[in-house]
Amino acid sequence: MDLDLFWSSLGPLLEGAVKGTIPLTLASFALGLVLALVVAVLRISSNKVAAGLGRFYVSIIRGTPLLVQLFVIFYGLPAVGVKIEPWPSAIIAFSLNVGGYAAEIIRAAILSVPRGQWEAGHMIGMSRNQTLLRIILPQAARVSVPPLSNTFISLVKDTSLASLILVTEMFRVAQQVAAFSQEFMLLYLEAAGIYWIICLILSTAQTRVEKRLDRYVAH
């Protein structure tokens, strides 16, 4: 192992994580979560057309590989006259993907809230939307924290795919340094170690959040 290369490349890789991987993850997850909430509401709608649209979207996203979705947006859309730069392409692809998976998590969380909560909202004069926003979603949020946290952690690792459309995130930096030094094993293991540490920190934070939320649940 070339320790000099290891330490000299650590800085650029960490910079790639801070300036590329982490912002890409946060932006994509935030947008994906908003989209997921909209799709989840469509999925539980009594309107068959709305529910069908939500179901179709989820089916497309969950039934196709993320890499294909990424390539369709970056390499495919220019064929029909729509050209999007690498960073926006990556954010769009990851957001759409998160939206498809997180929508099912949120939908399941909403359905896990007892039906009586809906009835209670109706009894005090709330509309369906008011009941959803003020009573159902706060309870569903607690239930959805663990699976949504897992989705977020998975997204951190999935952002490495953005290197294939020339987005300069951490793995792209590792590829560039490896191509120059020809030390592929060292650089890829170094990148893997950084991903692992990031995910370990996130997993620890997730556990603490779950324990804190668990205090407010009657057993």
Side-chain angles (χ1 to χ4, degrees):
M1 180 179 292
D2 188 341
L3 291 179
D4 289 336
L5 177 61
F6 177 86
W7 291 113
S8 64
S9 61
L10 184 58
L13 261 63
L14 290 175
E15 184 178 356
V18 172
K19 293 185 177 181
T21 300
I22 294 175
L24 184 58
T25 301
L26 292 174
S28 300
F29 189 75
L31 292 174
L33 210 54
V34 173
L35 179 59
L37 181 58
V38 173
V39 174
V41 172
L42 290 178
R43 293 278 279 118
I44 65 173
S45 172
S46 57
N47 185 303
K48 292 184 178 180
V49 175
L53 287 174
R55 188 163 50 249
F56 177 73
Y57 169 75
V58 170
S59 177
I60 289 292
I61 294 300
R62 298 181 67 180
T64 57
L66 173 56
L67 183 59
V68 173
Q69 297 164 15
L70 190 63
F71 274 32
V72 166
I73 292 172
F74 185 69
Y75 294 111
L77 289 181
V80 294
V82 180
K83 186 176 181 180
I84 307 176
E85 294 299 313
W87 262 91
S89 294
I91 291 175
I92 291 171
F94 292 141
S95 299
L96 290 174
N97 190 266
V98 168
Y101 284 92
E104 287 299 274
I105 293 172
I106 295 174
R107 182 181 72 89
I110 291 174
L111 294 179
S112 72
V113 178
R115 185 66 189 175
Q117 298 292 310
W118 289 94
E119 296 171 356
H122 178 70
M123 289 289 291
I124 60 176
M126 287 187 177
S127 66
R128 178 179 173 83
N129 289 338
Q130 288 176 324
T131 303
L132 177 65
L133 291 173
R134 299 180 182 180
I135 298 177
I136 305 302
L137 285 181
Q139 297 180 64
R142 187 198 61 79
V143 177
S144 63
V145 164
L148 286 178
S149 297
N150 291 333
T151 300
F152 183 78
I153 292 172
S154 294
L155 180 60
V156 171
K157 296 174 289 184
D158 289 341
T159 56
S160 61
L161 295 175
S163 63
L164 297 175
I165 61 169
L166 310 179
V167 172
T168 306
E169 44 69 65
M170 184 177 67
F171 192 66
R172 177 69 176 172
V173 174
Q175 289 178 314
Q176 292 171 340
V177 177
F180 178 78
S181 65
Q182 295 299 299
E183 292 284 353
F184 294 97
M185 178 65 77
L186 173 63
L187 269 300
Y188 291 163
L189 286 177
E190 189 173 6
I194 296 174
Y195 280 118
W196 174 68
I197 291 172
I198 292 173
C199 292
L200 185 62
I201 293 171
L202 292 174
S203 296
T204 302
Q206 174 187 349
T207 301
R208 291 185 177 181
V209 170
E210 288 178 17
K211 287 182 179 179
R212 182 175 293 274
L213 291 174
D214 200 44
R215 297 176 184 175
Y216 305 101
V217 180
H219 295 286

